[in-house]
């Protein structure tokens, strides 16, 4: 994948031995990636999981409604003043934009960037993350960002629990 190629290039440049793309996250944090965390920023990563895995666009539409409620509740009870929508896959761009149009809170979108360093920095810049993608949860875990996984995909259960 593009992310794996970037990971390999960056790790090679840093002279760090590697075998898995997830090594990049560990290596970057070990190398001291510095990002100013905005505790007032609620990060959100979404993916149309129902149509992607089960062929149901209708269920994705329903999931968006539930996401709006969940994000609104977290936003208003968590002391946040903005939402940052973080796109982790090009194919999630339109779904993420639809969510942004439904939210009634200050919202910005971090467009997809194939460079995993940029993705890691986006996640680490948030005070908390709500995510459907495995790598968004994994980056939050590595960056010590509290997160809530809302994916139906079993692989998200393999990310260690975050505080």
């Amino acid at each position: 994948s593009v992310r794996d190629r970037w990971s390999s290039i960056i790790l090679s440049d840093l002279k760090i031995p590697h075998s898995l793309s997830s090594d990049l996250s560990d290596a970057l944090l070990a190398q001291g990636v510095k990002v100013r965390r905005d505790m007032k920023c609620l990060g959100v990563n979404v993916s149309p999981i129902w149509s992607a895995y089960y062929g149901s666009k209708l269920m994705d539409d329903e999931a968006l409604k539930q996401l709006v409620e969940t994000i609104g509740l977290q936003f208003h009870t968590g002391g946040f003043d903005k939402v940052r929508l973080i796109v982790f896959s090009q194919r999630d761009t339109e779904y993420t934009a639809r969510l942004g149009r439904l939210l009634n809170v200050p919202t910005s979108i971090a467009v997809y960037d194939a460079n995993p360093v940029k993705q890691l920095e986006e996640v680490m810049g948030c005070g908390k993350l709500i995510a459907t993608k495995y790598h968004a949860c994994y980056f939050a875990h590595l960056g010590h960002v509290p997160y809530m996984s809302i994916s139906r995909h079993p692989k998200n259960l393999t990310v260690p629990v975050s505080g």
Side-chain angles (χ1 to χ4, degrees):
S1 74
V2 171
R3 182 170 285 127
D4 290 335
R5 283 193 306 270
W6 267 98
S7 298
S8 180
I9 290 166
I10 292 168
L11 288 169
S12 294
D13 287 348
L14 293 172
K15 308 279 190 273
I16 298 172
H18 58 283
S19 59
L20 301 172
S21 62
S22 63
D23 289 342
L24 174 62
S25 304
D26 298 327
L28 291 172
L29 289 172
Q31 293 294 320
V33 169
K34 302 262 190 272
V35 175
R36 183 180 176 278
R37 179 161 300 152
D38 183 350
M39 299 307 286
K40 296 279 191 178
C41 179
L42 176 61
V44 177
N45 161 257
V46 295
S47 182
I49 55 177
W50 290 103
S51 57
Y53 293 105
Y54 308 107
S56 178
K57 186 177 176 331
L58 184 63
M59 289 297 292
D60 277 335
D61 292 342
E62 184 59 36
L64 275 181
K65 293 177 194 172
Q66 292 176 6
L67 283 166
V68 168
E69 288 181 32
T70 299
I71 292 165
L73 179 63
Q74 287 291 317
F75 183 86
H76 294 294
T77 62
F80 299 102
D81 64 9
K82 65 185 126 322
V83 170
R84 181 78 164 154
L85 300 173
I86 305 169
V87 180
F88 258 72
S89 171
Q90 193 66 43
R91 66 180 169 265
D92 298 341
T93 302
E94 177 52 35
Y95 191 71
T96 302
R98 285 179 55 208
L99 175 62
R101 290 189 295 271
L102 294 172
L103 293 172
N104 291 316
V105 298
T107 304
S108 63
I109 296 180
V111 297
Y112 173 70
D113 193 320
N115 182 340
V117 176
K118 299 294 183 193
Q119 297 293 98
L120 179 62
E121 289 172 347
E122 286 292 346
V123 170
M124 289 178 64
C126 300
K128 183 175 187 175
L129 182 74
I130 298 172
T132 61
K133 290 280 197 187
Y134 169 83
H135 283 96
C137 295
Y138 184 66
F139 281 9
H141 169 72
L142 291 173
H144 305 286
V145 175
Y147 68 92
M148 177 182 0
S149 173
I150 53 173
S151 178
R152 302 284 194 267
H153 200 288
K155 72 180 176 182
N156 280 30
L157 299 175
T158 65
V159 179
V161 176
S162 171

